[in-house]
Amino acid sequence: MKLSRNTFLSLLVFALLSAGLMSFALREKVTKIYLVGDSTMADYSKYEGEDYMNKRYPVMGWGQVFQELFDEKSIASLGHLIQTDSVFVDDRARGGRSTRTFFEEGRWSAVYRELQPGDLVLMQFGHNDAAKEKTERYVATEGYKEYIRLFVTQTREKGGIPIVLTPVNRNYPWKDGKLENVHGEYYTAAVEVAAELDVQLIDLTQRSMDAFTAKGQDYVTAHYFMNFEPGVYPNYPEGSKDNTHFLPEGAKAVAELVLEGMMELE
């Protein structure tokens, strides 16, 4: 069939517009990065019913500043994980949660329902799982591994990309100027289950130990963790001596370690 000039031009314009719209749609698609974990990962500013600036500031989880690290350059360097031009960090981490309580409270099922193919799920637990004295959150290492297996398997079921993170180190114990691993068998359990399931692993425990050691104990204690004298911050009139939770500088330093870890994944 011979097409008239006008018909040909109309079809050409339609084809070009369709291709442009498809390309635009692909560019506009957003990859979500879900963060599931505990207080060291949480975004305190999004806690419902709480006035962050007048109640909790300056404490921050590293997930609270993670979004700001994703610019055009960093997203391009993550082409092995992210196939879109845009990233949205959806921080579902919550203080005091272990793998078990995160699951039992329905927090994991909420993530699972929303997961789309190509989304990433970064999971970092261990601080609260190990709290034997707090039976409401404690999980033995075998249970800890089972919940990580569940999160990994269900992420894959939805076409997502699971990434296991070993827990960020606390600001102790220090020995001869070097920070040592405080997470013991929970660190080992995370590494083992990642190897067992052939899932991507970011060794945040080791990365944070190395980075904190390089900065030095005095600097990290004063600038990275919630250690300050009375009267420095209105929300903490009695001061704070907390070597688990981060000040803004510490949160950003850890977020950068996570991003570096993502860039180095195969």
Side-chain angles (χ1 to χ4, degrees), residues 133-171:
E133 71 284 1
K134 297 181 179 179
T135 56
E136 73 279 5
R137 60 180 70 169
Y138 171 69
V139 185
T141 51
E142 281 308 310
Y144 171 72
K145 293 170 79 170
E146 279 298 307
Y147 282 109
I148 294 176
R149 289 185 185 107
L150 174 68
F151 300 157
V152 167
T153 301
Q154 292 197 332
T155 298
R156 285 172 165 168
E157 285 177 3
K158 297 294 287 286
I161 301 172
I163 302 176
V164 174
L165 278 64
T166 58
V168 62
N169 216 66
R170 303 180 194 267
N171 188 33

Side-chain angles (χ1 to χ4, degrees), residues 20 62 122 210 236:
W62 62 261
L122 275 61
D210 292 343
Y236 301 84

